[in-house]
């Protein structure tokens, strides 16, 4: 699939001024300006994160109320239930807050709703569990901001709620004794992009101050916080950047027994980065909720015994192996459905259904289908008496709005701009497929149907020296709003040594002037003919380091290649 290449702009006046202040390569200054770093002081904060840069937890609306209610519960011997969602953000948040409270008092337990029996967020079953077991205070993490009716129901049973959430609130808020959510319209907290575990960390920080605990007590939980930041795809800016930086330091130097066991089981023996957490740790944690029960993810996070932690890690690892098998087989089946139907191939949307597909992976499969057929995609499966599914979108297209316009054919739906969940009666699948296609066709543009590479800067091979790369590495941790820089180099030539490796991949050996670089392009074997003869090519890549026999060399991780316009 051909992609559009678009080089991001940067204000060259600001770039020149920053270069004078920092005395580093102009391209590096361009990258910084694109990321909102436009002065010496901003660069110092960016390159040298400090825990002193974290905001006071007391700036968050209702923090005092939350701390007072928890302190009161402890003094009166009340039972506290820490309640969280079944994804990585929810389970790490519960692991963080539960562990901390449990170290102070005995009467604390945790609850994770079952993904399929109870669904997302606060459930009636969970509230009934709290009531039947004598819990009078529930602290909800990564959920609860929209649970107006259910928290009202809890109040009728004499149960108070403290809601810690980061999702956008509706106009009506739940009747909780305290709501910690920086996205509340009247919350003065300066940083709005914390994840659920980040909000939980702030609560722990405030409790530590109130109870006179050592100021570094919350730092113990930073490995959980960074895992949540990575998995929940929140911006790696401001406070999240500080938390992620020190969280990664903890992951690499002194992880909790559970995180350590997952790292060992995953076979990771080098320094871990955000990507390691996103692609290796997070899927194993998420797999618990997708394939079975997410309680074991929390049990992994809170376990102090290395042998028991290894046993929990093994369970998550097995769940993930099962998830991968289901994911790959369903993706293959879904692609076969599309490829056997010419009409389906020509549509502006994809809707596929098979009753036997595993509900826990339909969202992952929808994302994989978009890699092949770049358009809004919905994958459906049978769930009891009804059909349930997940929608995923392409850049710029609001899939939630498109699903909303089909609501008359649905039992229920929810989501946001790029992802949604939905349920319907099985007899409505064909009508829904037709209507969804009509809605998408009417509102999507051809530009949205073409994937785009957002390139940070054009470089020459001569720019790419070890000092340049060393400063680039200090821009980590990478993630949303601070992505790993993507470069383009133009008019480079194959040396004659480039070749296809393992059928699908392309090993590059390219030169520009008298500088030669090697590189690897995964799944780019189809581009090999572009390197034939003496034609110049343009290459989009990230810069990487390859270590072989103790020797380190810079190399290109190639994302795309095309023939130069003027050869």
């Amino acid at each position: 699939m051909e992609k559009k290449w678009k080089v991001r702009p940067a204000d060259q006046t600001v770039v020149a001024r920053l270069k004078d202040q920092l005395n580093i390569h102009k391209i590096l200054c361009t990258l910084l300006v694109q990321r909102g770093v436009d002065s010496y002081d901003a660069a110092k904060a960016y390159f040298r994160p400090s825990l002193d840069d974290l905001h006071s937890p007391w700036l968050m609306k209702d923090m005092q109320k939350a701390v007072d209610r928890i302190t009161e519960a402890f003094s009166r011997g009340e039972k506290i239930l820490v309640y969280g969602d079944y994804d990585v953000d929810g389970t790490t948040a519960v692991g963080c807050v539960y562990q901390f409270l449990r170290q102070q008092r005995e009467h604390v337990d945790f609850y994770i709703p079952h993904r399929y029996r109870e669904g997302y967020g606060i459930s009636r079953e969970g509230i009934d569990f709290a009531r039947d077991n004598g819990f009078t205070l529930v602290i909800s993490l990564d959920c609860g901001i929209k649970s107006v009716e259910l928290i009202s129901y809890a109040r009728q049973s004499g149960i108070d709620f403290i809601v810690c959430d980061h999702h956008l609130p509706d106009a009506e808020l739940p009747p909780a004794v305290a709501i910690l959510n920086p996205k509340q319209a009247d919350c003065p907290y300066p940083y709005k992009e914390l994840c659920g575990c980040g909000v939980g960390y702030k609560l722990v920080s405030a409790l530590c101050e109130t109870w006179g605990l050592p100021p570094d007590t919350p730092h113990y939980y930073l490995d959980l916080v960074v895992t949540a930041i990575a998995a929940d795809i929140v911006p790696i800016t401001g406070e999240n950047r500080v938390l992620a930086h020190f969280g990664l330091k903890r992951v690499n130097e002194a992880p909790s027994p559970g995180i350590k066991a997952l790292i060992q089981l995953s076979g990771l023996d080098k320094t871990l980065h955000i990507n390691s957490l996103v692609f290796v740790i997070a899927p194993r944690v998420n797999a618990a909720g997708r394939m079975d029960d997410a309680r074991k993810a929390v049990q992994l996070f809170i376990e102090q015994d290395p042998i028991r932690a290894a046993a929990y890690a093994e369970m998550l690892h097995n769940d993930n192996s099962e998830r991968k098998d289901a994911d790959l087989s369903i993706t293959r089946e879904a692609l076969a459905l599309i490829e056997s139907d010419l009409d389906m191939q020509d549509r502006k949307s994809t809707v596929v259904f098979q009753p036997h597909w595993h509900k826990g992976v339909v969202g992952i499969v929808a994302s994989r289908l978009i890699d092949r057929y770049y358009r809004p995609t919905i994958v459906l499966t049978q769930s009891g008496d009804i059909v349930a599914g997940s929608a995923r979108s392409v850049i710029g297209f609001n899939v939630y709005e498109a699903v909303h316009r089909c609501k008359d054919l649905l039992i229920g739906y929810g989501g946001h701009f790029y992802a949604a969940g939905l349920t319907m009666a099985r007899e409505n699948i064909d009508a829904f497929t037709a209507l969804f296609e009509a809605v998408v066709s009417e509102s999507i543009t051809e530009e949205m149907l073409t994937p785009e590479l957002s390139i940070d800067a054009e470089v020459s091979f001569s720019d790419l020296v070890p000092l340049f790369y060393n400063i680039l590495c200090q821009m980590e941790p990478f993630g949303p709003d601070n992505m790993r820089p993507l470069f383009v180099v133009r008019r480079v030539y194959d040396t004659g040594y480039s070749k296809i490796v393992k059928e699908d991949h392309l090993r590059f050996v390219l030169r520009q002037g008298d500088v030669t670089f090697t590189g690897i392009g995964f799944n780019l074997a189809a581009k090999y003919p572009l390197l034939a003869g003496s034609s110049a090519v343009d290459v989009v890549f990230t810069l990487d380091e390859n270590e072989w026999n103790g020797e380190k060399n810079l190399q290109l991780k190639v994302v795309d290649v095309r023939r130069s316009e003027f050869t």
Side-chain angles (χ1 to χ4, degrees), residues 18-25 29 471:
L18 193 62
K19 185 180 187 315
D20 287 342
Q21 293 174 349
L22 301 182
N23 195 27
I24 59 174
H25 200 294
C29 293
I471 296 173

Side-chain angles (χ1 to χ4, degrees), residues 256-391:
S256 61
I259 296 281
K260 186 175 183 178
L262 270 185
I263 292 168
Q264 290 171 338
L265 204 55
S266 308
L268 296 170
D269 57 357
K270 294 183 179 176
T271 301
L272 270 69
H273 302 279
I274 285 284
N275 265 10
S276 319
L277 302 180
V278 171
F279 295 111
V280 181
I281 303 299
R284 285 166 170 77
V285 177
N286 262 330
R290 290 184 188 281
M291 309 309 289
D292 186 23
D293 185 348
R295 271 187 67 85
K296 65 181 123 176
V298 178
Q299 287 165 323
L300 171 85
F301 294 141
I302 64 177
E303 184 54 64
Q304 295 304 306
D305 179 74
I307 294 171
R308 285 199 295 268
Y312 284 123
E314 185 74 43
M315 290 181 206
L316 267 61
H317 189 73
N318 292 340
D319 284 342
N320 192 51
S321 298
E322 189 184 331
R323 188 272 308 166
K324 281 198 286 192
D325 290 345
D327 164 6
L328 291 172
S329 66
I330 294 169
T331 300
R332 276 197 296 268
E333 288 180 34
L335 285 171
L337 285 176
I338 299 168
E339 285 156 9
S340 65
D341 186 332
L342 289 174
D343 175 56
M344 198 184 283
Q345 288 177 46
D346 291 337
R347 290 178 192 165
K348 300 286 175 67
S349 69
T350 298
V351 180
V352 286
F353 164 77
Q354 284 295 313
H356 63 276
W357 288 345
H358 195 293
K359 187 180 171 186
V361 299
V362 289
I364 297 171
V365 172
S367 296
R368 291 200 190 283
L369 295 182
I370 287 175
D371 290 340
R372 184 75 64 89
Y373 293 94
Y374 192 75
R375 58 202 190 190
T377 296
I378 297 177
V379 179
L380 302 168
T381 187
Q382 194 78 31
S383 178
D385 296 332
I386 61 172
V387 167
S390 285

Side-chain angles (χ1 to χ4, degrees), residues 527-540:
K527 301 276 187 178
Y528 183 64
L530 294 175
L531 303 177
S534 57
S535 298
V537 292
D538 300 342
V539 176
V540 176

